[in-house]
Amino acid sequence: LLSQFDPDNTGYISTEKFRSLLQRHGSELDPHKLEVLLALADSNSEGRICYQDFVNLMSNKRSNSFRQAILQGNRRLCSKALLEETGLSLSQRLIRHVAYETLPREIDRKWYYDSYTCCPPPWFMITITIVEVAFFLYNGVVLDRFVLQVSHPLYLKNALLYHPQLRAQAWRYLTYIFMHAGIEHLGLNVVLQLLVGVPLEMVHGAARISFVYVAGVVAGSLAVSVADMRAPVVGSSGGVYALVSAHLANIVMNWSGMKCQFKLLRMAVALICMSFEFGRAVWLRFHPSAYPPCPHPSFMAHLGGVMVGITLGVVILRNYEQRLQDQTLWWIFLSIYVIFVLFAIFWNIFAYSLLDLKLPPPP
């Protein structure tokens, strides 16, 4: 194909030859992909199209140069919006709904709608939720308590939660997400991560969403070890808040482009749920502990997750189908995150002894 349309081996195809190729094979393409190709041809002012951009498009990859060309062609898209298309099956309507819930530009929605295959499915958020529920049910049976499990005298003896006296056991900075204070704590986290996390994973993939989630979890426990040094940590709120805050921030930043129904109501519901869960955590933290002198779990993990969401999370969710390695903000926020992690590690090694802090006894 390249030798036929680019005999001089320049790496470019003339716009005229490109259009003839589309006319010849357009019926074989998805309608939205054909629309994007025509937009690419219309947007090019130099009379030629990069062959690699064409290959990237056909192989479901988009380079930054291709995306810049589409920014111009997007204004020339004249066919009806994806939301107006009729005769769709239930699965197609679900994919369209997810596209409008998470993506701010029509061309991205159509691209996602044509290219999504549900292979692989959103396995990360589903798996992490199942494991969290399984651990909660197991602890409920062992402790014979499902409401406010954290008030049980044997609760802190679990090897998964973060405890300041056992902070040298590094796995606890991550595994604390499998321990929840009670059914009310687990319920809100599960609802938020399924309603927000699953659609985000369907669009952005497991790699990006798991990175934001795990980064929020680690930042949450480290934030507690720095700012609330005497308290333990439980629950997946750090990861959940990272995803939800990143999603809400993207909706606000792209408000005019987001065409999801009842977006203001959806934002209000998400914020109310987050505020209620955060308020519960604050109340529990300062409520008299059932096992003094160790206080109830800290709420600082929520704030650590929010900070990850509005920095790393926003950049990741904003760059749909783009290489993050090319994004300046990505490197800036990643560097800030790494610096914070290193600072927290040194803080955990030296600050506790230097401050001569009196910690609660190990469980």
Side-chain angles (χ1 to χ4, degrees):
L1 180 64
L2 182 59
S3 60
Q4 179 183 354
F5 289 93
D6 183 21
D8 298 328
N9 198 26
T10 62
Y12 291 88
I13 305 174
S14 69
T15 304
E16 293 78 10
K17 292 181 179 180
F18 186 67
R19 284 186 175 279
S20 68
L21 180 65
L22 294 181
Q23 291 174 358
R24 188 182 312 170
H25 300 284
S27 60
E28 305 171 11
L29 299 172
D30 294 324
H32 301 140
K33 185 171 289 186
L34 177 61
E35 188 177 5
V36 173
L37 284 167
L38 290 171
L40 176 60
D42 291 339
S43 69
N44 199 282
S45 60
E46 299 179 355
R48 62 180 188 172
I49 294 170
C50 178
Y51 179 75
Q52 187 59 49
D53 285 340
F54 169 71
V55 172
N56 287 339
L57 175 64
M58 299 309 297
S59 60
N60 289 342
K61 296 179 181 178
R62 291 186 291 181
S63 64
N64 286 334
S65 59
F66 170 77
R67 189 171 176 85
Q68 290 301 319
I70 288 299
L71 288 176
Q72 298 299 323
N74 188 37
R75 291 197 291 267
R76 297 179 174 87
L77 298 180
C78 56
S79 65
K80 62 182 179 181
L82 179 62
L83 193 60
E84 299 172 1
E85 297 186 5
T86 58
L88 303 181
S89 65
L90 180 61
S91 60
Q92 289 174 324
R93 291 199 298 270
L94 174 62
I95 296 171
R96 181 177 66 178
H97 173 76
V98 170
Y100 274 90
E101 285 294 312
T102 54
L103 296 171
R105 299 174 64 241
E106 184 67 17
I107 201 166
D108 282 332
R109 298 181 195 119
K110 290 183 175 182
W111 172 269
Y112 168 73
Y113 177 82
D114 278 336
S115 60
Y116 183 71
T117 61
C118 198
C119 184
W123 61 268
F124 175 77
M125 293 310 308
I126 294 175
T127 301
I128 204 74
T129 300
I130 292 175
V131 174
E132 289 171 4
V133 172
F135 270 102
F136 175 80
L137 294 176
Y138 172 79
N139 287 320
V141 172
V142 171
L143 302 177
D144 193 25
R145 181 176 300 179
F146 291 90
V147 177
L148 279 180
Q149 287 183 349
V150 70
S151 62
H152 195 283
L154 298 179
Y155 184 83
L156 285 183
K157 293 186 178 296
N158 194 288
L160 298 179
L161 58 77
Y162 169 87
H163 189 283
Q165 280 282 18
L166 303 174
R167 63 188 185 279
Q169 299 175 357
W171 69 84
R172 293 178 180 265
Y173 290 91
L174 185 60
T175 59
Y176 73 93
I177 65 172
F178 301 119
M179 300 289 294
H180 284 79
I183 188 66
E184 70 291 341
H185 187 199
L186 174 74
L188 283 172
N189 280 343
V190 165
V191 168
L192 284 173
Q193 70 186 27
L194 287 179
L195 291 181
V196 177
V198 169
L200 289 179
E201 186 176 348
M202 290 175 64
V203 172
H204 298 281
R208 293 189 180 205
I209 296 307
S210 61
F211 178 83
V212 176
Y213 189 87
V214 173
V217 168
V218 174
S221 54
L222 290 177
V224 172
S225 70
V226 171
D228 197 2
M229 300 166 67
R230 299 184 67 254
V233 189
V234 296
S236 58
S237 298
V240 173
Y241 276 50
L243 289 178
V244 176
S245 59
H247 179 53
L248 295 182
N250 267 291
I251 292 179
V252 172
M253 293 168 60
N254 301 283
W255 187 261
S256 60
M258 299 300 293
K259 303 299 181 183
C260 51
Q261 292 182 317
F262 310 113
K263 58 185 177 183
L264 189 59
L265 177 61
R266 293 169 186 269
M267 282 193 62
V269 170
L271 289 173
I272 290 173
C273 289
M274 292 174 67
S275 300
F276 178 80
E277 206 277 323
F278 181 73
R280 180 211 57 82
V282 173
W283 170 84
L284 185 62
R285 171 64 178 86
F286 294 108
H287 190 268
S289 175
Y291 34 83
C294 186
H296 281 308
S298 176
F299 57 85
M300 290 301 299
H302 300 68
L303 303 181
V306 170
M307 293 307 299
V308 168
I310 62 178
T311 52
L312 280 175
V314 165
V315 175
I316 288 177
L317 301 192
R318 190 176 64 188
N319 292 280
Y320 170 66
E321 284 288 344
Q322 289 193 66
R323 293 175 296 176
L324 289 174
Q325 291 84 349
D326 297 334
Q327 303 302 315
T328 303
L329 275 180
W330 156 256
W331 286 109
I332 292 175
F333 288 141
L334 182 62
S335 300
I336 294 174
Y337 181 80
V338 171
I339 291 172
F340 166 72
V341 170
L342 293 175
F343 167 78
I345 290 174
F346 281 101
W347 180 273
N348 276 271
I349 294 174
F350 300 108
Y352 282 79
S353 57
L354 292 176
L355 295 175
D356 196 23
L357 191 67
K358 185 178 180 180
L359 295 176

